[in-house]
């Protein structure tokens, strides 16, 4: 495994309390590691802004949940926290951000089952620059296509070995979906189930909003904003960003809802977003070529959600 020079690697090693820093310009992973040969492992991606990692607890909890689904024994959360801090500090020292607005670091937590025949997993942190495209898509929005994932919404319960609710290293299908979307002239995709439900993006969670004007019966009119995401029991990955945003939105007076959602709900929405820890909130301009809401409404609602999301730690 050889990585670009602008990458910091920190391996979780019992002999190093804060993690062992490794040379990213040199091979580090054994060719027989099951993460490389079979995609047998789990991972998390989080963003550090201004040197501070966001939603660490939520990501560590989800990493543990994914590891349990794969019967992987991983280090305690405090071990991960120390290694995360080391990776962020090393990256910012080695590659200072040109401006505060660009002081973002992508931090990946990776676990493989380890070298074939070994009893211990391979665990490391990877710190790298935030993709410029992520910031651009937050600002300009994205076009998406709907793609059939090939499973119904009950597949996760019926066949838990499919690992539909775990964040595994087996991302070949997700990446193939993105490549297919790009070939269709789109930026991203939204998966649908074989029973017609909206699920998630290959690397993101789906959100949609409705804004209604309501008469409270006294002659006063107020605006009601509702934020909705697909049902979490439909075989999708629980979104850490969606969960954190819902908490902030509820406190700000938004109504919240969980599917079930069908594609027509996307077209009827006043705004749709794909949200993730790295790209953050990306407004969806078009789905299968059809415009979602209006540019003015998308801009207004996106600005409101971005303001709420900026306060998340």
């Amino acid at each position: 495994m050889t990585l670009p020079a602008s990458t910091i690697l920190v391996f979780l090693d019992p002999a190093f309390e804060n993690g062992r820093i490794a040379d990213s310009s040199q091979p580090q992973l054994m060719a027989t590691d099951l993460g490389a040969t079979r995609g047998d492992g789990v991972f998390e991606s989080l963003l550090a802004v201004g040197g501070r990692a966001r939603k660490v607890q939520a990501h560590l909890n989800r990493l543990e949940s994914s590891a349990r689904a794969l019967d992987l024994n991983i280090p305690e959360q405090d071990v991960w926290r120390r290694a995360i801090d080391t990776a962020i500090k090393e990256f910012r020292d080695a590659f200072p951000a040109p401006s505060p607005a660009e002081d973002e670091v992508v931090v990946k937590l990776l676990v493989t089952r380890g070298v074939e025949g070994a009893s211990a997993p391979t665990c490391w942190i990877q710190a790298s620059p935030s993709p410029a495209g992520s910031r651009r898509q937050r600002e300009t929005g994205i076009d998406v296509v709907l793609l059939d994932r090939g499973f119904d919404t009950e597949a996760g319960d019926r066949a838990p070995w499919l690992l539909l609710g775990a964040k595994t290293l087996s991302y070949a299908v997700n990446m193939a979906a993105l490549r297919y979307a790009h070939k269709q002239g789109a930026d991203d995709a939204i998966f649908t189930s074989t029973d017609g439900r909206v699920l998630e993006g290959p690397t993101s969670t789906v959100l949609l909003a409705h804004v209604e004007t309501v008469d409270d019966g006294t002659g006063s009119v107020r605006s009601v904003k509702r934020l909705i995401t697909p049902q979490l029991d439909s075989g999708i990955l629980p979104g850490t960003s969606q969960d954190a945003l819902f908490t902030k939105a509820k406190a700000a007076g938004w109504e919240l809802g969980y599917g079930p959602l069908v594609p027509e709900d996307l077209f009827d929405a006043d705004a749709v977003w794909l949200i993730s820890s790295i790209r953050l909130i990306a407004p969806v301009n078009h789905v299968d070529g059809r415009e979602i809401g209006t540019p003015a409404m998308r801009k207004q609602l996106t600005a409101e959600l971005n303001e709420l999301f900026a306060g998340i730690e």
Side-chain angles (χ1 to χ4, degrees), residues 35-114:
T37 60
R38 295 184 178 177
D40 193 354
V42 297
F43 78 103
E44 283 290 321
S45 298
L46 57 91
L47 192 67
V49 179
R52 189 184 184 105
R54 305 183 74 186
K55 302 188 281 89
V56 176
Q57 188 63 57
H59 284 288
L60 290 176
N61 289 345
R62 194 169 66 179
L63 184 73
E64 286 186 342
S65 176
S66 296
R68 283 196 299 272
L70 273 69
D71 295 322
L72 281 170
N73 293 317
I74 64 174
E76 298 293 329
Q77 291 190 0
D78 284 347
V79 177
W80 286 101
R81 285 181 180 276
R82 290 194 296 271
I84 290 170
D85 290 342
T86 298
I88 294 171
K89 181 182 183 304
E90 290 291 324
F91 183 89
R92 296 179 79 230
D93 287 348
F95 312 105
S99 70
E102 298 174 85
D103 190 359
E104 296 183 352
V105 183
V106 175
V107 182
K108 291 187 177 181
L109 288 57
L110 300 111
V111 180
T112 78
R113 199 169 297 278

Side-chain angles (χ1 to χ4, degrees), residues 143-218:
D143 294 337
V144 308
V145 291
L146 299 177
L147 299 181
D148 187 345
R149 192 178 65 174
F151 300 109
D152 62 50
T153 51
E154 297 181 357
D157 290 334
R158 189 175 62 249
W161 51 87
L162 293 176
L163 302 174
L164 297 182
K167 195 173 181 70
T168 74
L169 292 175
S170 304
Y171 250 47
V173 170
N174 303 60
M175 297 300 99
L178 285 176
R179 289 193 297 273
Y180 183 86
H182 296 162
K183 290 176 182 177
Q184 310 310 307
D187 302 295
D188 212 317
I190 293 176
F191 286 129
T192 59
S193 64
T194 55
D195 49 345
R197 300 291 173 81
V198 173
L199 298 173
E200 59 192 343
T203 63
S204 57
T205 303
V206 177
L207 298 176
L208 64 84
H210 288 288
V211 180
E212 300 175 6
T213 300
V214 177
D215 187 333
D216 64 6
T218 66

